[in-house]
Amino acid sequence: MRRSTIRGWTLVHRWTSLVCTLFLLMLCLTGLPLIFHDEIDAATGHLPPAAGPASSGDAPGLRPLDAMLAQALARRPGEVTLYMAFDNDRSLMTITTGPRVDAPAAAMTMQSVDRLTGRLAAQEGEDAGGIVAFLLQLHTDLFLGLPGMLFLGAMGVLFVVAIISGVVLYAPFMRKLDFGTIRVARSRRTRWLDYHNLLGIVAFAWMTVVGLTGVVNALATPITRLWQANELAEMTRGYAGRAALPPSRYGSLDRAMAAARARLPGMNPQFVAFPGGSFSSRHHYAVFFQGATPLTERILTPVLIDAATGRVTDVRRMPWYFVALSFSRPLHFGDYGGLPMKLLWAILDLFTIVVLGSGIYLWVRHRRPAARAVALPAEARAVPAE
């Protein structure tokens, strides 16, 4: 590789890294506990235990959905149901209500109830989700909503560019050193440069995957709006221009669910979006089904049921861009494969923290006059810059 090419990649690596490093450190530090969000929720009481069959099934002993819905509304008089979500491993389900069908997230209340007993397991509003909810919002949008999500997505793009440029620079660097060499007899800066390069090349594939999935996750709102404007609008075109269906005219949810199950046998309902919400129309129950295998459970298929008549009006798989979003979410946090996968994700996250921290250290040392005099010849010899 020519010296001018090396210098060009060095500049790309250095400045993309510098711009995004502090934000990436924040994401890595907040992401580390989020990898174990289920375990933390269970330990802090935000994931109450429940025995029995999955709440999404039809096993004997599970209470009817209409009865669960009536109980939830009785606890929140004057409100309407927005969402109902199921747990495929336990008898717990969640019912989200709000003062109106288009209520903002801050005005929603989520009730966790046991479908075996009908008892309330937990109830919390948007601001009472525990430490995991706080970390998740900080990690997702910096408490800035869509602008924060898009900003962090841009930082993710810079992170991926920094990774690629670092890999390009690592090749000429390794021509003179054996893989894994740590020059312990050299200066502290040289040792940290070796650690930075070694951990970076070991974790580069993981960092690339997490960086790219983070960018996709940051586009969740635009992706959802694109689906609403295209697929959902097409599915509900026959209801365009009609007045919104009032909650007093909603039909039986159990009957609607039975009709939806008949169209997608062998699949499990993940959640129900009620009329007026972001994932439905003003006239439909939208039941989102997931597959029964570890792979297909990430792919959602919505079934639209006329909320007044209980008749299925359309069934359509999600488009490719929404499928990409669905797979990016669990892949980003290692939320599959059980505890061993989570532990691997945590170790690689710690590697990334060291890479980012050492990069800051190397840049600070590089700015010192003595270090700069040493660093420039090193760059000319194709040693990757910090």
Side-chain angles (χ1 to χ4, degrees):
M1 189 180 295
R2 299 176 59 181
R3 181 175 300 179
S4 59
T5 303
I6 292 173
R7 287 184 177 274
W9 279 109
T10 297
L11 290 174
V12 171
H13 183 65
R14 176 182 300 145
W15 290 109
T16 54
S17 300
L18 285 175
V19 171
C20 72
T21 289
L22 291 179
F23 297 101
L24 263 297
L25 273 174
M26 180 276 296
L27 292 174
C28 286
L29 291 172
T30 56
L32 188 58
L34 288 174
I35 295 172
F36 303 98
H37 62 93
D38 288 334
E39 291 77 6
I40 294 174
D41 277 340
T44 57
H46 285 89
L47 190 63
S55 63
S56 60
D58 292 322
L62 292 178
R63 298 197 171 198
L65 298 179
D66 290 331
M68 302 300 298
L69 183 59
Q71 289 180 356
L73 291 176
R75 298 186 189 102
R76 305 292 300 181
E79 295 192 351
V80 296
T81 311
L82 305 176
Y83 299 98
M84 177 181 286
F86 305 99
D87 191 323
N88 286 322
D89 298 316
R90 304 175 303 162
S91 58
L92 287 180
M93 61 186 299
T94 58
I95 300 175
T96 303
T97 62
R100 59 184 189 276
V101 294
D102 59 347
M108 296 179 185
T109 299
M110 186 174 66
Q111 301 178 39
S112 179
V113 294
D114 191 336
R115 198 177 169 190
L116 275 175
T117 64
R119 294 176 181 173
L120 180 68
Q123 177 174 300
E124 52 192 43
E126 183 69 15
D127 298 327
I131 184 63
V132 170
F134 173 84
L135 291 175
L136 181 60
Q137 188 167 358
L138 178 62
H139 186 90
T140 302
D141 62 14
L142 299 172
F143 297 96
L144 297 175
L146 181 58
M149 293 177 67
L150 296 178
F151 175 78
L152 292 178
M155 294 301 101
V157 172
L158 291 179
F159 180 50
V160 172
V161 174
I163 294 170
I164 294 172
S165 58
V167 172
V168 171
L169 290 170
Y170 189 75
F173 174 83
M174 284 302 297
R175 283 198 308 233
K176 298 182 179 181
L177 295 171
D178 294 330
F179 179 79
T181 298
I182 303 296
R183 292 169 289 181
V184 294
R186 302 285 294 274
S187 66
R188 179 182 300 176
R189 181 182 183 278
T190 299
R191 292 197 302 272
W192 274 110
L193 178 61
D194 290 340
Y195 284 124
H196 179 82
N197 292 331
L198 175 60
L199 293 179
I201 203 65
V202 167
F204 89 91
W206 179 86
M207 290 190 294
T208 303
V209 169
V210 171
L212 290 174
T213 54
V215 172
V216 175
N217 290 338
L219 298 174
T221 298
I223 287 174
T224 301
R225 290 176 179 174
L226 180 62
W227 173 77
Q228 293 168 341
N230 294 313
E231 301 293 325
L232 184 60
E234 179 64 26
M235 294 173 74
T236 60
R237 190 175 304 278
Y239 290 76
R242 295 190 189 183
L245 185 70
S248 60
R249 293 186 56 197
Y250 292 177
S252 168
L253 184 58
D254 285 293
R255 186 174 62 186
M257 181 64 75
R261 284 183 180 277
R263 297 294 295 270
L264 293 175
M267 300 183 71
N268 300 314
Q270 186 185 72
F271 73 95
V272 181
F274 282 69
S278 300
F279 288 87
S280 184
S281 75
R282 298 184 297 174
H283 309 89
H284 291 87
Y285 294 129
V287 184
F288 286 78
F289 283 83
Q290 58 185 157
T293 67
L295 178 63
T296 59
E297 70 179 2
R298 306 297 178 183
I299 303 175
L300 298 180
T301 302
V303 179
L304 295 189
I305 304 105
D306 188 304
T309 67
R311 180 178 60 88
V312 174
T313 62
D314 205 341
V315 181
R316 189 174 303 190
R317 291 192 178 275
M318 286 297 203
W320 66 268
Y321 52 84
F322 210 103
V323 172
L325 176 62
S326 299
F327 279 114
S328 292
R329 286 167 172 163
L331 188 59
H332 187 72
F333 291 109
D335 196 13
Y336 61 95
L339 186 59
M341 184 65 74
K342 293 184 178 183
L343 292 174
L344 176 61
W345 247 236
I347 292 171
L348 292 170
D349 187 278
L350 291 173
F351 280 10
T352 306
I353 291 173
V354 175
V355 171
L356 295 171
S358 60
I360 295 175
Y361 168 77
L362 292 169
W363 182 75
V364 171
R365 290 296 301 268
H366 175 76
R367 301 303 298 172
R368 296 179 182 178
R372 183 173 178 80
V374 175
L376 286 176
E379 289 175 0
R381 293 194 303 271
V383 176
E386 57 278 13

